[in-house]
Structure formats: structure tokens, C-alpha cells
Amino acid sequence: MLTEWGFPPVDFPAIFAALPAQDRAALRCVLGFKVSPSVTQLAGLPVLSLEGTAADAGLDEATGETPCLTFTTSGTTGGPKLVLHDQQAIAGHAIDVARRIGLDAADAALLAAPPFCGTFGNAAAMAAIAGGAHVVCLAQFDGEAAVRLIRQHRVTHVIGGDDMFGRIAAASVGCRFDSVRFSGFAAFHSTAAASIAAAEALGMQPHGLYGSSEVQALFAVGEGKNRLLGGDVHVSSQARLAVRDPQTGNTLPSGASGELWIHAPSRFIEYLEDPAATERAIDADGMFRTGDLARLAGTDFVYEARIGDAIRLGGFLVSPEEIEAVIQAQPGVAAVQVVAASRGVADPVPVAFVQPAAGAEVDEVSLRARCLEQLARFKVPERIVVVESFPIIESPNGPKVQKLRLREMAQAILREERQDQHDAFVQLPQG
């Protein structure tokens, strides 16, 4: 296990020492970055300094098929799992990414902002190494520091979450970046459009990205008219895609929305020590079931939403982003999330949670009126609830909104309203 020693937000030695011995029985040693020379053991395991003789700790027995690292899933769907990759998947994908986005150019320089323990930061950094690019590291993201490093090192490539670009734009005070020729983003927040528009105005040339822990980040890059969408052109020429009906499993034609299935060299081997989950995720042909709603566009694809986030309304699978975009465009709205909930056995309806901008007031009646003007009736939120913030879960690839928690909140609101209506109906007049 490799970790940075003395990283302020996390007391790794204390966390590791508290693990039950049987849960770390397979570990042979701990590799420490910035570890003190006085530290030689941790919970009975030898601690080797990454800056010292760690590379000489043993013979290199690796082959292309040797498992080499795991990524954690966020636990937002189906519980947290460890996604196991082998050497050739990591290295091969790095080469494909470097060639696709130009990290193999002689003057290429990457701002490596997301943490390397997640696929987002790992795939970008490995691609830079594969392409021979200069890598500028940030131990913890800071907007002002990022702006300073981009200008100082003539950074050509910036990759991260939409919130990162928003913070870079805020710290740039309107000064354009003339060295950046590619930036890639993943949209984790409903404010993504505003953040990416700010990056576009600064000349950062943003591209939407698609990926996952299972097929690695930067699996596909938005190009041309789909440049700001998730997905589009997959970086590997060997990738195979299919879109299937989530309920029947039947293959759908190009342009139809369904569940995206992927077979590619960047695909994971298995969920570590979870064969049942692996069997559910990979079919007999080696196709990985992504759990994502997408549509094919020729040989490429466009990502729409997580299947779990998509809402079945009026018999149609609807991406919540379609509804969110209408509400997000209204004055005073800082962020919005839409989920589905139902009253008892009735069909699900959309419920929107809105975070107002600082000092602003938003009105549910007015927002619903705007939705009625621009959306089909069955897509109009049953309720628009104002909240101070959304429930967030931290993941190796950045913070993510807990959709499951929002669905529980929406369900509780509709259930309470249904009970109130029932009580009002059965109450008899006194006399």
C-alpha cells in the first residue's frame, strides 16, 4: 500500500493501525511518500520510503495481466466496491489517452489536480507520463495556486471536475490562459454549465469527459458539436459499445436512449473479492454493464445520466438534467437537483431541490410556472423544495451529490403531504 505520510486531512497511520489484522493480512509492506527516516514499521509491517530504496524491495514479477491497483467506487449505487485493474489496462489506456488529447506533444504540461488514488486523477497523470509530458502536481486543490501554476509552467492540459474549473475561473480575475489548449471536465454538480462557460470564456477550451472506475476516466472525450457533452469519441480504437433496453436487454438502434454496455482494453478485471457483483456487471461476451443512460451516435455515444438517476415519467426514461436546466436558468437559482418519488403506489413524479444564490429568494409557484411553459406536463416537478445545501459524499474523484438521500427526502415530503390530505378528507365537522 502506497500513501503520503503527514497529509494534513488524513491521519493514515492511525486509520491503518485500527484496521482488524485479518483485513490487512495480504499486505507485505507500506510505501511511504515523505515518511520520516525514523518510521520503520506500522502495525507490524515494514515501512519503506518511496524516496529511498523502495524500488529495490523485491524483484519485479509483473506481467501485463498482473493486477496492480484498485479504485474505490463512491458507494452511491449498490454499495462501495474495489475495482481491480491489471498492468496492461492502466498502461494501455494511458497511451490511448495521451495520443487522443495531445499529451504526447513536446511541450505538453498537465496540471494534475484530482488525487491520484481515484481514476480521474490517475488516468490523467498516467497519460501525461506515457506521453512524456511535464506533470505539475497539487497536493490539495486551491484555485489561486492552480492559476499561478498554469501561468508559471505554461500548462497545456487541465483536467478535473466542473467545480474545479469554477474555482480557477474565479481566481483568474478574467485574465485568459493562452497556454491551455485542452481541458477536460466531468459534470458533478448542477452548476456545471456556469463553471464550464466561465472556463470557455477564459480560453481553456473545455471538453466533456466520460469514464468510470470500471473502464477508467477519460474513456471518451467530447468533440465537435458534442464537445461539451459527456462521452462522444472513445479514446481506444478497440472499444465496442452497445445500448440496450434496461428492462429487456434488447439492443436498441442508434439515437435511442438505453443502458450503455462497454467492452474495451481499459476495462477492469473484477470487483475485488466480490464474484457475485462481477458476474452481474460483466456478461459472457465481456461487455461491462455501466448503469449509465446513453444513446449511440454513429460509432460514438452521448452520455445522458445514471440509470438510477433517470426518471421514468409517462412511460419514458427522462434525464433529470433536462428538467434541471430549465430551473437552473431562472433568476436566483444557484443549483438544482431533480429526483423521482411517488405517493404510495402511484407512478413516480419529479421533485426538485433548489439551492438559492446568495441573498436571493426563489418562489416555488413561479418556478413551476416557468417549467409549465417549457416542459411537457409530466416533466414538471410536483414540488420544488428550497434547501440550503445538498447532501454530499466525498469520493476519490471529487464530491458527489447523494441522489439516494434526496430521493428519500422527496419520498418523505410526498408521503407527509398525502397523509395531510387524507387526514383533511376524513376529518368530520364538529357539532
Side-chain angles (χ1 to χ4, degrees):
M1 179 175 287
L2 170 64
T3 187
E4 181 174 350
W5 227 261
F7 185 57
V10 180
D11 187 354
F12 166 73
I15 294 172
F16 184 82
L19 291 175
Q22 64 269 22
D23 288 345
R24 45 184 169 83
L27 288 175
R28 302 176 189 176
C29 65
V30 176
L31 303 179
F33 178 54
K34 297 182 180 177
V35 63
S36 168
S38 62
V39 177
T40 59
Q41 282 199 337
L42 177 61
L45 286 173
V47 175
L48 304 176
S49 172
L50 191 63
E51 296 95 329
T53 58
D56 302 322
L59 295 176
D60 184 358
E61 301 174 351
T63 67
E65 293 78 20
T66 303
C68 65
L69 61 77
T70 63
F71 297 125
T72 59
T73 61
S74 63
T76 54
T77 54
K81 296 179 284 292
L82 290 174
V83 181
L84 185 64
H85 284 273
D86 59 20
Q87 298 270 354
Q88 60 193 2
I90 299 297
H93 184 59
I95 294 169
D96 287 338
V97 172
R99 289 172 176 167
R100 168 60 64 178
I101 68 174
L103 276 169
D104 54 351
D107 63 341
L110 170 74
L111 179 69
F116 299 153
C117 59
T119 183
F120 209 9
N122 184 277
M126 291 297 291
I129 293 169
H134 178 49
V135 182
V136 181
C137 297
L138 274 174
Q140 290 178 269
F141 183 78
D142 175 81
E144 292 184 358
V147 169
R148 184 176 64 255
L149 290 170
I150 291 171
R151 301 197 192 284
Q152 176 185 345
H153 293 272
R154 303 287 300 168
V155 166
T156 60
H157 290 68
V158 182
I159 293 170
D162 59 272
D163 59 325
M164 188 189 88
F165 286 96
R167 292 165 68 182
I168 288 176
S172 71
V173 295
C175 295
R176 292 173 62 86
F177 297 100
D178 60 357
S179 66
V180 177
R181 53 178 179 258
F182 178 94
S183 60
F185 70 91
F188 294 134
H189 305 85
S190 61
T191 54
S195 296
I196 300 311
E200 182 90 83
L202 293 170
M204 299 188 75
Q205 303 183 53
H207 295 248
L209 302 176
Y210 174 84
S212 68
S213 295
E214 288 86 352
V215 296
Q216 300 185 59
L218 285 88
F219 173 84
V221 180
E223 300 285 0
K225 61 180 175 50
N226 293 330
R227 180 167 62 88
L228 299 181
L229 301 179
D232 199 23
V233 181
H234 40 84
V235 300
S236 172
S237 60
Q238 300 178 54
R240 290 190 288 113
L241 309 175
V243 170
R244 301 174 182 173
D245 186 293
Q247 295 179 328
T248 67
N250 294 333
T251 300
L252 298 176
S254 181
S257 295
E259 185 169 20
L260 179 66
W261 290 69
I262 293 174
H263 189 292
S266 63
R267 201 208 71 199
F268 73 125
I269 306 169
E270 63 182 21
Y271 292 117
L272 188 62
E273 298 181 357
D274 195 341
T278 304
E279 186 175 357
R280 290 193 299 269
I282 302 175
D283 71 8
D285 296 323
M287 298 286 285
F288 164 59
R289 182 176 197 167
T290 66
D292 291 330
L293 187 69
R295 64 183 185 274
L296 292 180
T299 59
D300 304 313
F301 74 100
V302 175
Y303 167 81
E304 296 177 347
R306 287 290 298 171
I307 290 287
D309 296 340
I311 308 169
R312 186 169 287 280
L313 304 171
F316 298 94
L317 273 178
V318 177
S319 171
E321 293 180 1
E322 179 184 355
I323 305 170
E324 290 167 357
V326 173
I327 300 174
Q328 182 74 61
Q330 306 310 313
V333 176
V336 58
Q337 294 285 328
V338 173
V339 296
S342 60
R343 292 188 176 97
V345 297
D347 291 338
V349 294
V351 175
F353 292 89
V354 169
Q355 183 179 338
E361 294 185 4
V362 294
D363 176 63
E364 179 178 11
V365 175
S366 298
L367 290 178
R368 289 194 79 248
R370 300 291 81 75
C371 290
L372 281 165
E373 292 173 357
Q374 301 179 47
L375 295 169
R377 179 64 186 85
F378 66 89
K379 297 179 182 179
V380 175
E382 186 75 8
R383 286 293 315 276
I384 299 178
V385 183
V386 177
V387 295
E388 292 185 2
S389 61
F390 303 128
I392 296 293
I393 183 171
E394 293 294 335
S395 82
N397 301 316
K400 294 182 180 180
V401 176
Q402 287 185 294
K403 290 278 193 176
L404 177 60
R405 176 67 185 128
L406 288 178
R407 282 192 285 270
E408 292 172 347
M409 292 164 60
Q411 198 73 43
I413 290 169
L414 295 186
R415 187 166 53 244
E416 183 177 346
E417 288 184 351
R418 182 169 180 264
Q419 185 61 47
D420 290 345
Q421 292 171 358
H422 177 268
D423 292 345
F425 179 76
V426 300
Q427 186 175 4
L428 297 176
Q430 301 297 315

